[in-house]
Amino acid sequence: MGCVHASGSNADRRDRHSGANATSSTAKREPSQLRLLKLNAASIDAQTTHDADAAIVADNVNALEGILDAYPALPYKQPWTSRQTNSASGSALHRACELSRSALLQRLLVRGGADAAALVDEDEQTPLHVAVAHGAIECVLSLTSIEGASYCPELTASDRYQMTPLHLACEAGDTRMVELLLYCLTRRTRMSESALNKLRRGSASFVAKRHGHARVVQLLEKGAPGQGSRKLA
């Protein structure tokens, strides 16, 4: 797509969890803990994954909670297989965002934390990318305000096509989502005002113009970033 990757993500990744309690389920885990979780996730059998996917599809919180109790590493299972779509990609968090299952996403975040929110699928998209692409506002709110996380580096992460979540919202012409993401970019990343202005009036505006979304272009090119979005965040 040729869009410019938003700057500041490396610093966000270093500082995201400053001040977080190391014992919290949402705090960033030590590399050895994360490796163990991913090893445990890899051993989860196909039937369990299919049962969990069915719970996500049915929006059955109790069923998913029961599976998470038995398999705490489930949020790290990759690739995520679905009998319904006959596909294997991403994670349970990606699947919940695809279907706008905000309550189930919250349960997965409580167990998996910020590290699970950073997992990418075959297109290098995070769950946040998927939530934005499917207009899942409540999922976006959950992913950008994880307990114990000072910053949300996924806001500035680019996928395989150099698209950040903001670019995807601009491509879709989703004005409400663009407004929310601009608000989050000003408050939950370490991006400077000048860098954000460059993103808004540069590649993000280009994508919106290319797809004929005049209202989004107007929003991107107006005054202070994130103006009028407080009620959403």
Side-chain angles (χ1 to χ4, degrees), residues 13-70:
R13 292 183 189 282
R14 287 195 301 270
D15 295 340
R16 177 174 190 166
H17 304 278
S18 58
N21 186 334
T23 61
S24 170
S25 62
T26 54
K28 189 171 180 64
R29 293 172 170 83
E30 294 296 327
S32 58
Q33 294 177 310
L34 192 54
R35 283 194 297 271
L36 181 59
L37 276 169
K38 289 184 176 182
L39 281 172
N40 289 340
S43 68
I44 296 175
D45 62 272
Q47 185 58 53
T48 298
T49 305
H50 294 320
D51 290 345
D53 188 71
I56 294 171
V57 171
D59 204 9
N60 190 329
V61 174
N62 290 334
L64 184 64
E65 285 276 22
I67 297 170
L68 285 167
D69 286 341

Side-chain angles (χ1 to χ4, degrees), residues 72-231:
L74 185 74
Y76 293 91
K77 176 68 175 177
Q78 288 190 288
W80 189 257
T81 56
S82 171
R83 284 178 178 166
Q84 185 187 52
T85 62
N86 194 30
S87 63
S89 180
S91 67
L93 280 78
H94 289 84
R95 186 73 165 132
C97 290
E98 177 188 356
L99 298 173
S100 300
R101 302 293 193 248
S102 58
L104 278 73
L105 176 64
Q106 285 277 19
R107 269 55 172 198
L108 291 164
L109 286 171
V110 167
R111 304 299 183 104
D115 290 309
L119 295 173
V120 297
D121 63 15
E122 60 186 7
D123 289 323
E124 298 179 14
Q125 291 194 337
T126 66
L128 182 59
H129 281 93
V130 175
V132 169
H134 287 84
I137 286 277
E138 293 300 323
C139 291
V140 171
L141 289 170
S142 295
L143 290 163
T144 55
S145 57
I146 297 173
E147 182 182 354
S150 300
Y151 299 102
C152 178
E154 289 74 46
L155 282 162
T156 56
S158 293
D159 65 14
R160 184 182 300 278
Y161 308 102
Q162 296 303 299
M163 299 284 274
T164 68
L166 179 61
H167 291 115
L168 294 178
C170 292
E171 183 178 51
D174 190 336
T175 306
R176 187 167 181 241
M177 187 70 77
V178 170
E179 191 176 22
L180 172 59
L181 291 172
L182 289 174
Y183 176 88
C184 292
L185 282 163
T186 63
R187 290 158 177 81
R188 289 162 191 164
T189 72
R190 298 181 73 244
M191 182 182 289
S192 67
E193 183 177 350
S194 61
L196 180 53
N197 284 336
K198 183 178 179 180
L199 170 66
R200 290 169 56 228
R201 293 171 178 150
S203 57
S205 182
F206 171 80
V207 169
K209 288 176 181 176
R210 183 179 181 183
H211 292 274
H213 302 307
R215 290 183 61 194
V216 172
V217 173
Q218 183 181 16
L219 177 61
L220 290 167
E221 296 184 350
K222 73 177 185 179
Q227 184 178 355
S229 305
R230 292 180 182 275
K231 66 183 179 180

